[in-house]
Amino acid sequence: MSIPLSLNKYDILDLFPRLADLGASSFGEDPELFGDTLFEVIEDAPRMHRLPFKQQTVNELRTLLAYSDMDLDRVSWAVLGMDPTADIEEPPNWGSFPSLRAFWSAVLHTFENDPEVRAGREIDRDV
């Protein structure tokens, strides 16, 4: 399975609307607003969303990770506002991933292990 080369950035955003939403918020232009390290941003990403979004994100991530590295790269650059593989200096100790596949696998792991996703129902956070 591969993403047709005829698809542009906006077509890819339409294929992965939840990942595009994450790219516009948690992983957007200023992801450091969502945590002190990239790992914190990933850990906090599910908490900001309701169960249907989380479940749809898991499905999109599983689909994305089934693609080749070349397609994974195309989708990542379309949906992300940052490069999770870059070794940046500011903020200090931000962290980076060795590959886009490692980054998206970590995001999938976090969403799959979210308590609501695991329970298959929304959990009242006020209890």
Side-chain angles (χ1 to χ4, degrees), residues 1-104:
M1 164 169 67
S2 86
I3 297 175
L5 292 174
S6 61
L7 295 184
N8 63 33
K9 173 183 178 173
Y10 301 103
D11 296 328
I12 292 171
L13 294 175
D14 288 342
L15 282 176
F16 297 96
R18 298 299 152 244
L19 299 185
D21 289 345
L22 288 174
S25 62
S26 301
F27 307 129
E29 290 180 25
D30 294 320
E32 57 269 5
L33 293 175
F34 295 91
D36 291 329
T37 69
L38 184 53
F39 299 100
E40 286 179 10
V41 173
I42 291 170
E43 287 177 10
D44 288 341
R47 293 184 200 142
M48 297 151 61
H49 301 285
R50 299 187 56 96
L51 180 61
F53 181 96
K54 294 174 190 182
Q55 291 170 325
Q56 293 164 0
T57 301
V58 167
N59 291 336
E60 287 184 20
L61 286 165
R62 288 178 179 162
T63 299
L64 176 64
L65 289 166
Y67 287 121
S68 70
D69 287 343
M70 186 172 72
D71 286 330
L72 189 76
D73 187 61
R74 285 184 63 212
V75 171
S76 297
W77 291 115
V79 302
L80 288 176
M82 54 87 160
D83 180 2
T85 64
D87 199 13
I88 61 173
E89 294 179 18
E90 292 295 327
N93 302 317
W94 175 249
S96 64
F97 283 84
S99 68
L100 290 169
R101 187 167 302 279
F103 169 77
W104 289 119

